[in-house]
Amino acid sequence: MPSASTIALFALASLALAVVPGPAVTYIVTQSVDKGRRAGITSAFGVSSGGLVHVTAATAGLSALIASSATAFTVVKLCGAAYLIAVGIKRIVTRDDTVAETQPMPLQRVWAQGFVVNIFNPKTALFFVAFLPQFVDRNHTIWTQVAFLGCLFVTIALTSDLAYAVLAAKLASRLRRSERAARIRRYFAGSIFVVLGASAAAAHRG
């Protein structure tokens, strides 16, 4: 187990990283604006669940494999990019806004999207490889420290993501009754997914 001072320093560093908007925050905010607070919160839990998979992978050494293998990195990033772009295009071409409002996407699917978005984000794997080792005491059991710090980071990131989801939903609630706003949200949400997918496809190691 890391020392109390190491944990405190890691928590502060994690909080500073978590509150800076990135692809995950952008995705969560988009879901909150497009589908409401419950969808945003569910998306945050989906993203954090994907983060736990990355923690497990880092603990097992799989993240290091992705970081060192150009082929593995490319496969992961292209799978993630294709998924995001497909979701974005589907959102844009779904024109029946009334049906979308009266029959919202099941929360299980919203959670699954957040989960997949983070699972296929190679930058998350690289983050754990580059960030966590700085706080690991190599004189003690490494895998337990990596697992603990990884779970701590996911918890901190989840807290920040939930705050973003609630705030975004609150600010967007007034726009949700307008049919014109519904169309704007549809194109905005779809475009965000496509942009995130393109960004993931263009990601480089390093």
Side-chain angles (χ1 to χ4, degrees):
M1 182 71 68
S3 66
S5 59
T6 298
I7 293 174
L9 181 60
F10 177 83
L12 288 174
S14 297
L15 180 61
L17 290 170
V19 298
V20 176
V25 171
T26 301
Y27 166 76
I28 292 166
V29 168
T30 299
Q31 292 291 77
S32 287
V33 171
D34 189 36
K35 299 182 179 68
R37 183 176 63 180
R38 291 182 65 192
I41 291 175
T42 303
S43 297
F45 277 104
V47 168
S48 67
S49 298
L52 290 176
V53 174
H54 281 289
V55 172
T56 303
T59 303
L62 297 180
S63 292
L65 173 63
I66 293 176
S68 61
S69 170
T71 300
F73 180 88
T74 300
V75 169
V76 171
K77 79 170 185 177
L78 290 181
C79 287
Y83 175 78
L84 289 170
I85 292 173
V87 170
I89 293 175
K90 181 179 179 180
R91 185 69 185 100
I92 291 173
V93 300
T94 303
R95 298 181 179 180
D96 192 348
D97 297 305
T98 301
V99 173
E101 290 296 325
T102 57
Q103 298 180 355
M105 180 185 296
L107 292 181
Q108 295 91 333
R109 190 184 303 175
V110 174
W111 177 89
Q113 280 190 353
F115 180 79
V116 173
V117 164
N118 209 14
I119 282 292
F120 285 109
N121 182 4
K123 287 295 185 180
T124 303
L126 297 180
F127 163 80
F128 281 114
V129 172
F131 185 66
L132 288 185
Q134 301 177 44
F135 298 88
V136 171
D137 184 352
R138 299 184 183 278
N139 295 319
H140 296 82
T141 305
I142 293 178
W143 75 266
T144 56
Q145 298 179 73
V146 172
F148 174 79
L149 293 175
C151 290
L152 178 58
F153 175 80
V154 170
T155 300
I156 292 172
L158 173 61
T159 302
S160 174
D161 290 345
L162 289 174
Y164 272 111
V166 172
L167 180 60
K170 184 175 182 179
L171 294 176
S173 60
R174 296 181 180 180
L175 300 176
R176 203 160 284 116
R177 299 186 185 93
S178 168
E179 182 178 348
R180 180 181 179 184
R183 287 196 298 270
I184 293 174
R185 291 200 318 272
R186 188 184 80 218
Y187 286 111
F188 172 76
S191 299
I192 288 294
F193 276 109
V194 172
V195 169
L196 289 176
S199 299
H204 298 283
R205 289 187 300 161

